Amino acid sequence: MSPAAHLPIVDVSGFRTPGERGVDEAALVRQLDNACREIGFFGVVGHGVDPTLLGELDTAARDFFALPDEVKSAISMRHAGRAWRGWFPLYGEVTSGRPDGKEGLYFGTDHPADHPRILDGTLLHGANLYPQDPPALRAAVIAWLDALRPVADTVMAAIALALGLDARWFERHLTADPTILFRVFHYPPTAATNTEWGVAEHTDYGLLTLLAQDGEGGLEVRNRDGRWLEVEPTPDVLVCNIGDMLERLTRGRYRSTPHRVRNTSDRARLSFPYFFDPSWDATVPTLPLIDEEGGEESERRWDRADPIAWEGTYGDYLSAKVARVFGDLI
């Protein structure tokens, strides 16, 4: 078992409402900057999310995953096509060339049928697929998406200040129309999957991930010296990590931290990652910051890629990544 990671905890309670920020703003910004530099993962508290929302989401998700596969397949991802929405079965997703020991539900911004990107067939745009059973899942997902958006905006505003930018820099330049994707993952007990790997080593693609999880452990992050550390779940703490586009933006000052899930429990685990990423057509710049760490980070990355060298829109970047996970949907 990997040693436990004591993630930095960032309290954003005094930072949630613009114009009413607390007197500890400078301390919060320094704390956040240190967390992004040192490990790229941190816990967020004081976020204002009603804890009953996660309980309702957890209950509805467990009811759904308890159904037979033939029932769940009514909202299979193949029915959504290029929208990349719906249910996929155990081993239906591949990470780093390894089938994941999990099943899941994919949601995102619910685009209406007359949305321009629906009409032109743009990848990852479309309507969410919600199951008829349990009926409570639809409302729980929508409520959770509504609750997480202001948290993402708050964290990004604090990150902007940590980078010496105006608090609304991301909103003006990268997230005016953010790419928002949301997942519900179910990791069955190890005995039911014949593998300890829920998800192999990877990094997230965009700017920011906000993760809620149940009380079962399994998430591990790789720190700067190459050691894998287990992240112990804590009630009411949202685990936040930065993605490839924030690494690109900061020229490596903030690094997209590799992480994985090892499911060695005899009980099922649920996790709820919310991805807050650049607008589809946004071109992520590289800021004039100094990478104090230096080194050839791309040589150590799980995929040998170099986000700093990437050229193109975020939609292009994400589409290339999706092709490796669900190639039949492209």
Side-chain angles (χ1 to χ4, degrees), residues 5 17 39 56 68-69 124 133 150 184 186 188 197 200 202 206 212 214 225 232 240 295-296 302 304 309 311 314 327:
T17 305
I39 191 168
E56 292 167 354
D69 282 5
L124 292 174
D133 184 20
V184 181
H186 171 231
W197 294 106
H202 66 286
D214 65 10
D225 65 8
E232 296 182 354
C240 182
E296 297 295 333
W302 65 282
R304 297 296 187 265
E311 297 294 340
Y314 180 64

Side-chain angles (χ1 to χ4, degrees), residues 61-79:
R62 290 181 191 277
D63 289 345
F64 174 81
F65 289 122
L67 296 171
D69 282 5
E70 56 267 27
V71 175
K72 290 181 283 191
S73 66
I75 59 165
S76 173
M77 291 181 72
R78 69 176 182 273
H79 297 307

Side-chain angles (χ1 to χ4, degrees), residues 199-229:
V199 183
E201 179 180 356
H202 66 286
T203 56
D204 292 344
Y205 308 146
L207 291 172
L208 193 74
T209 303
L210 292 169
L211 173 72
Q213 50 187 335
D214 65 10
E216 296 297 321
L219 174 63
E220 297 181 345
V221 303
R222 195 183 75 185
N223 68 6
R224 292 297 179 86
D225 65 8
R227 292 186 303 150
W228 286 97
L229 305 175

Side-chain angles (χ1 to χ4, degrees), residues 58-312:
D58 184 282
T59 297
R62 290 181 191 277
D63 289 345
F64 174 81
F65 289 122
L67 296 171
D69 282 5
E70 56 267 27
V71 175
K72 290 181 283 191
S73 66
I75 59 165
S76 173
M77 291 181 72
R78 69 176 182 273
H79 297 307
R82 292 169 60 84
W84 214 33
R85 305 286 200 272
W87 171 76
F88 70 87
L90 186 67
Y91 310 123
E93 187 171 11
V94 176
T95 305
S96 298
R98 187 198 307 264
D100 296 344
K102 72 176 191 298
E103 62 177 322
L105 284 164
Y106 276 54
F107 301 100
T109 301
D110 223 339
H111 300 103
D114 60 353
H115 190 284
R117 293 197 182 117
I118 302 299
L119 297 177
D120 67 14
T122 302
L123 182 68
L124 292 174
H125 290 72
N128 287 326
L129 299 182
Y130 297 104
Q132 292 185 347
D133 184 20
L137 185 58
R138 179 190 184 112
V141 168
I142 293 172
W144 190 253
L145 288 172
D146 288 344
L148 267 286
R149 173 62 193 271
V151 181
D153 285 331
T154 295
V155 175
M156 292 311 304
I159 288 176
L161 292 177
L163 294 172
L165 306 170
D166 179 84
R168 297 186 63 188
W169 187 92
F170 284 98
E171 180 183 344
R172 288 199 305 268
H173 296 282
L174 290 181
T175 60
D177 180 22
T179 302
I180 295 176
L181 301 173
F182 174 58
R183 315 292 187 232
V184 181
F185 290 142
H186 171 231
Y187 300 86
T190 303
T193 64
N194 299 315
T195 177
E196 67 174 298
W197 294 106
V199 183
E201 179 180 356
H202 66 286
T203 56
D204 292 344
Y205 308 146
L207 291 172
L208 193 74
T209 303
L210 292 169
L211 173 72
Q213 50 187 335
D214 65 10
E216 296 297 321
L219 174 63
E220 297 181 345
V221 303
R222 195 183 75 185
N223 68 6
R224 292 297 179 86
D225 65 8
R227 292 186 303 150
W228 286 97
L229 305 175
E230 183 177 2
V231 178
E232 296 182 354
T234 305
D236 298 330
V237 175
L238 293 173
V239 176
C240 182
N241 65 279
I242 59 181
D244 293 349
M245 291 298 99
L246 201 51
E247 178 173 332
R248 170 180 168 75
L249 182 79
T250 64
R251 296 177 182 263
R253 173 176 173 175
Y254 295 169
R255 299 254 174 88
S256 184
T257 304
H259 50 287
R260 65 191 186 187
V261 174
R262 293 180 65 200
N263 187 17
T264 57
S265 174
D266 59 358
R267 292 174 296 199
R269 174 180 182 264
L270 289 186
S271 70
F272 308 90
Y274 171 99
F275 302 96
F276 186 75
D277 297 337
S279 302
W280 187 260
D281 293 330
T283 300
V284 179
T286 51
L287 298 175
L289 303 173
I290 297 174
D291 177 8
E292 298 175 355
E293 299 290 331
E296 297 295 333
E297 181 66 16
S298 62
E299 292 301 315
R300 301 200 308 271
R301 278 179 56 99
W302 65 282
D303 57 358
R304 297 296 187 265
D306 183 3
I308 301 173
W310 168 260
E311 297 294 340

Side-chain angles (χ1 to χ4, degrees), residues 12 16 44-55 57 143-152 210 212 235-238:
V12 299
R16 292 205 310 264
V44 175
V45 298
H47 43 67
V49 176
D50 184 347
T52 64
L53 295 180
L54 182 58
L57 179 60
W144 190 253
L145 288 172
D146 288 344
L148 267 286
R149 173 62 193 271
V151 181
L210 292 169
D236 298 330
V237 175
L238 293 173

